[in-house]
């Protein structure tokens, strides 16, 4: 209550002032009562209004709204999506200023605004922001929101940024990479991490580097049950990748398979790499079963032996890769043979000459071949024996389908009629020595020398006959199912055969063909010993 001396009011005007500016958007209100001092009942009342700043007050006040991929609010800080809107009152304070919202930005259509307006009650003006649906993309969705007065669009609220995270999931694998050893055939179990409402699809992409052979890589369940590439599976479905046996031409390098995992119905994806470690060659150990003809160290096999230790052909820099050039036996004595007790580490055996007194050695050889842990044991059996000895020898192999014929014929020749025979093709078309000298061609009219101490035989189905004595059976066979070579006469290898270091310069195509054959036999022997069925399975196409 303030007394005011009217005598001091010029022209009866009473000045009224505010103490401070009104920094809010709402008006300040007060009342002025003027009465006669002598008669207070005579009075007049005036409403005083101090206008606020043009603008908006939002409660609570935030500068950003964040949503998860599924449209739920991100739970952090004071993140909220509903606000009370105070756009201020009209000058007379009787109505709420009319307002509108503006939603803009690259992904404005991904969000929805629900606004409630009331001209009379500030508390009923509110606004709610929602995400319309799940963000099924791999990108964050962004928009901007602000409010403006209808009567003066230049009067705006502060800008609120709106975002929705992308849909995402992962395999829970460190570095998204699995490592599989050369002898393992499947990965660990993979359990994807993502929304339980989602489904996933797995696709196999091209491996790196490009592979020589074709492999059937399989998607299987946790217990090995078959699954399908490209099919949809619930998020809780666990899986493994089942890898095939790596074949020898792809053996000397790491192979990386890529599996693309996609959330069904979206473009959200993740990749895992499966690295199959390099297939390490098994160390080669060569021995003689018995001595004499057919044993390494015997003079007749000396040329053939030289082919097997020629580093240009076999070794770390050889045409056929081997960590080291093998060391081969060079003693044909019977006592140097291992037939009585074949060491476990021996994986290549040369038979030597059959003798009735040690016939059990060949039983040991068969057992040794049939019980090969890595399927990499290889035998070379020569028939430098009498007819009766060869008959006794072959009696041990009748269960495999072999049959002895005789020792007729002084020469053997190439067997040139082959149908779908990958072993023959390895010799003459696509093996490491098939095109050793492109300027030379194998002359299949060449003859291979035999003497009276030799043999011929019939072979079972699936065995490749390389040399024959016309009308009298096979004289050189390669059996990769049982991993054995039968050589009708070791004389085949040293008569009319170029030295290993002369194969690069020989111009006689008959000689050239013999050299290619003996080099290829060693390639077959060594690759089988190094890689087992990783090599021999390449030829299982007939």
């Amino acid at each position: 209550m303030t007394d005011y001396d009217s005598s001091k009011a010029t022209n009866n005007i009473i000045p009224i002032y505010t103490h401070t500016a009104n920094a809010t958007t709402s008006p300040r209100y007060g009342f002025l009562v003027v009465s006669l001092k002598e008669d207070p009942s005579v009075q007049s009342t005036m409403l005083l209004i101090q206008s606020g700043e043009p603008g908006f007050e939002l409660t609570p006040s935030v500068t950003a709204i964040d949503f998860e991929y599924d449209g739920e609010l991100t739970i952090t800080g004071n993140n909220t999506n509903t606000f009370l809107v105070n756009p201020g009152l009209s000058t007379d304070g009787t109505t709420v200023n009319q307002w509108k919202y503006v939603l803009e930005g690259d992904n404005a259509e991904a969000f929805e605004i629900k606004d409630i307006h009331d001209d009379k009650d500030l508390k009923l003006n509110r606004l709610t922001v929602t995400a319309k649906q799940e963000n099924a993309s791999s990108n964050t969705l962004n928009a901007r929101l602000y409010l403006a007065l209808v009567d003066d669009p230049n009067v705006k609220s502060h800008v609120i940024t709106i975002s929705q995270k992308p849909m995402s999931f992962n395999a829970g694998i460190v570095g998204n990479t699995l490592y599989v050893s050369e002898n393992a055939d499947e990965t660990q179990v993979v359990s994807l991490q993502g929304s339980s409402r989602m489904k996933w699809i797995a696709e196999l992409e091209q491996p790196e580097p490009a592979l020589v052979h074709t492999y059937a890589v399989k998607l299987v369940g946790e217990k090995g049950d078959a699954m399908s590439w490209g099919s949809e599976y619930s998020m809780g479905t666990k899986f493994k990748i089942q890898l095939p046996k790596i074949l020898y031409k792809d053996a000397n390098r790491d192979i990386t398979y890529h599996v693309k995992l996609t959330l069904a119905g979206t473009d959200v994806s993740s990749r895992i790499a499966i690295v199959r470690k390099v297939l390490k060659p098994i160390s080669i150990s060569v021995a003689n079963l018995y001595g004499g003809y057919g044993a390494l160290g015997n003079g007749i096999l000396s040329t053939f032996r030289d082919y097997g230790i020629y580093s240009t052909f076999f070794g770390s820099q050889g045409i056929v890769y081997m960590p080291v050039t093998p060391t081969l036996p060079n003693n044909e004595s019977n006592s140097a043979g291992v037939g009585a007790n074949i060491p476990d580490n021996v994986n290549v055996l040369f038979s030597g000459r059959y003798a009735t007194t040690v016939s059990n050695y060949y039983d040991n050889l068969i057992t040794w071949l049939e019980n090969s842990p890595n399927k990499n044991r290889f035998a070379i059996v020569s028939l430098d024996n009498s007819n009766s000895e060869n008959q006794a020898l072959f009696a041990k192999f009748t269960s495999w389908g072999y049959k002895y014929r005789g020792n007729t014929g002084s020469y053997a020749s190439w067997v040139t009629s082959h149908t779908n025979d990958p072993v023959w093709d390895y010799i003459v078309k696509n093996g490491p020595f098939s095109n050793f000298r492109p300027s030379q061609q194998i002359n299949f009219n060449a003859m291979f020398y035999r003497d009276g101490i030799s043999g011929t035989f019939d072979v079972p189905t699936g065995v490749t006959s390389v040399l024959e004595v016309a009308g009298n059976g096979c004289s050189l066979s390669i059996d990769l199912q049982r991993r054995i070579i039968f050589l009708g006469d070791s004389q085949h290898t040293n008569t009319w055969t170029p030295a290993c270091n002369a194969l690069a310069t020989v111009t006689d195509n008959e000689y050239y063909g013999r050299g290619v054959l003996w080099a290829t036999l060693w390639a077959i022997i060594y690759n089988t010993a190094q890689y087992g069925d990783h090599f021999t399975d390449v030829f299982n196409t007939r």
Side-chain angles (χ1 to χ4, degrees):
M1 177 70 68
T2 301
D3 289 338
Y4 188 78
D5 186 352
S6 60
S7 64
K8 296 180 181 179
T10 305
N11 298 322
N12 291 317
I13 297 173
I14 302 173
I16 300 174
Y17 305 93
T18 62
H19 289 287
T20 61
N22 183 3
T24 70
T25 58
S26 299
R28 290 175 177 174
Y29 301 99
F31 298 91
L32 175 65
V33 179
V34 180
S35 63
L36 294 177
K37 189 174 184 179
E38 292 77 8
D39 186 359
S41 65
V42 180
Q43 59 181 242
S44 177
T45 302
M46 180 182 295
L47 175 65
L48 302 178
I49 302 174
Q50 182 184 11
S51 299
E53 292 274 351
F56 292 82
E57 287 183 359
L58 303 181
T59 305
S61 179
V62 298
T63 58
I65 306 172
D66 299 314
F67 294 96
E68 295 295 326
Y69 82 91
D70 58 1
E72 296 295 322
L73 271 174
T74 300
I75 302 175
T76 179
N78 64 341
N79 192 37
T80 184
N81 66 326
T82 297
F83 310 91
L84 293 177
V85 178
N86 180 357
L89 298 176
S90 62
T91 302
D92 60 8
T94 59
T95 59
V96 177
N97 288 330
Q98 293 186 3
W99 57 277
K100 63 181 180 179
Y101 69 83
V102 178
L103 183 63
E104 60 185 14
D106 293 340
N107 310 117
E109 72 284 350
F111 303 97
E112 184 175 14
I113 309 298
K114 296 180 180 179
D115 52 330
I116 300 175
H117 299 255
D118 192 286
D119 293 342
K120 300 299 182 183
D121 191 342
L122 276 174
K123 297 188 299 296
L124 298 181
N125 287 263
R126 66 182 60 227
L127 179 145
T128 300
V129 182
T130 57
K132 289 182 178 179
Q133 58 189 13
E134 292 181 341
N135 179 4
S137 74
S138 56
N139 301 311
T140 300
L141 302 180
N142 295 292
R144 297 180 300 277
L145 170 69
Y146 66 87
L147 309 181
L149 293 181
V150 173
D151 293 336
D152 187 358
N154 292 320
V155 177
K156 303 176 182 178
S157 70
H158 64 273
V159 175
I160 300 173
T161 60
I162 307 171
S163 66
Q164 184 179 12
K165 296 178 181 177
M167 189 178 293
S168 64
F169 75 117
N170 63 77
I173 299 169
V174 176
N176 284 329
T177 302
L178 295 173
Y179 294 91
V180 181
S181 69
E182 68 272 17
N183 291 315
D185 61 1
E186 63 185 20
T187 67
Q188 67 187 57
V189 175
V190 179
S191 180
L192 299 180
Q193 300 172 6
S195 171
S196 60
R197 295 177 294 176
M198 300 301 296
K199 294 184 176 182
W200 56 267
I201 297 170
E203 299 171 89
L204 181 66
E205 299 180 332
Q206 289 297 317
E208 298 173 354
L211 302 179
V212 176
H213 301 286
T214 300
Y215 303 97
V217 179
K218 297 179 180 179
L219 181 71
V220 299
E222 183 177 9
K223 297 181 179 179
D225 47 305
M227 298 172 68
S228 299
W229 298 107
S231 295
E232 294 185 5
Y233 295 96
S234 62
M235 189 58 67
T237 303
K238 299 178 182 179
F239 67 92
K240 299 181 287 188
I241 308 299
Q242 206 168 72
L243 301 171
K245 186 184 304 173
I246 292 298
L247 301 181
Y248 82 105
K249 287 185 179 179
D250 297 315
N252 296 312
R253 53 187 174 173
D254 288 350
I255 298 172
T256 301
Y257 295 93
H258 294 281
V259 175
K260 180 182 179 182
L261 300 164
T262 304
L263 288 177
T266 77
D267 61 358
V268 178
S269 64
S270 177
R271 281 177 171 80
I272 58 174
I274 303 168
V275 179
R276 174 149 239 185
K277 302 299 290 180
V278 61
L279 183 64
K280 297 176 182 177
I282 299 169
S283 296
I284 290 177
S285 177
V286 183
N288 291 323
L289 187 75
Y290 198 49
Y293 297 140
L296 290 180
N298 179 267
I300 296 177
L301 278 179
S302 61
T303 300
F304 185 67
R305 181 181 180 279
D306 289 343
Y307 269 73
I309 56 174
Y310 187 37
S311 61
T312 299
F313 292 169
F314 307 103
S316 59
Q317 303 298 318
I319 293 172
V320 173
Y321 172 78
M322 305 176 71
V324 296
T325 301
T327 300
L328 299 180
N330 198 22
N331 186 345
E332 66 169 324
S333 68
N334 292 336
S335 61
V338 297
N341 186 17
I342 305 171
D344 287 341
N345 70 316
V346 168
N347 44 36
V348 178
L349 266 179
F350 281 76
S351 67
R353 187 172 186 179
Y354 180 84
T356 303
T357 56
V358 293
S359 66
N360 65 303
Y361 285 12
Y362 294 86
D363 297 322
N364 294 344
L365 180 145
I366 291 172
T367 300
W368 171 82
L369 278 174
E370 292 180 336
N371 294 280
S372 177
N374 296 307
K375 299 181 180 178
N376 72 319
R377 291 174 176 172
F378 205 104
I380 301 89
V381 177
S382 64
L383 307 187
D384 296 282
N385 312 297
S386 67
N387 254 333
S388 60
E389 289 169 332
N390 281 333
Q391 287 172 345
L393 171 63
F394 263 76
K396 298 180 181 296
F397 295 97
T398 54
S399 63
W400 287 2
Y402 287 91
K403 180 182 177 182
Y404 183 68
R405 293 281 293 272
N407 64 354
T408 302
S410 299
Y411 302 97
S413 59
W414 289 94
V415 178
T416 55
S417 57
H418 297 270
T419 302
N420 190 28
D421 187 338
V423 176
W424 174 256
D425 290 343
Y426 188 75
I427 298 170
V428 302
K429 291 182 180 179
N430 54 30
F433 298 99
S434 302
N435 296 294
F436 178 69
R437 288 191 67 199
S439 62
Q440 301 297 126
Q441 300 295 321
I442 297 174
N443 185 340
F444 293 108
N445 293 317
M447 306 302 290
F448 293 78
Y449 180 70
R450 289 164 52 90
D451 59 21
I453 307 175
S454 57
T456 57
F457 50 95
D458 293 332
V459 301
T461 301
V463 175
T464 299
S465 293
V466 181
L467 301 179
E468 66 179 352
V469 176
N472 289 287
C474 181
S475 192
L476 172 62
S477 67
I478 302 172
D479 184 345
L480 291 187
Q481 178 184 348
R482 303 167 186 87
R483 303 181 306 282
I484 191 168
I485 288 173
F486 283 100
L487 181 62
D489 192 329
S490 57
Q491 292 276 15
H492 290 337
T493 66
N494 76 329
T495 305
W496 309 316
T497 293
C500 56
N501 59 1
L503 187 60
T505 57
V506 67
T507 56
D508 185 305
N509 284 337
E510 292 188 5
Y511 277 66
Y512 172 75
R514 296 185 190 101
V516 167
L517 175 59
W518 308 135
T520 303
L521 287 192
W522 276 115
I524 290 171
I525 294 166
Y526 284 152
N527 277 326
T528 302
Q530 288 190 117
Y531 301 117
D533 55 3
H534 293 274
F535 174 72
T536 57
D537 278 3
V538 175
F539 303 91
N540 292 341
T541 60
R542 61 174 181 171

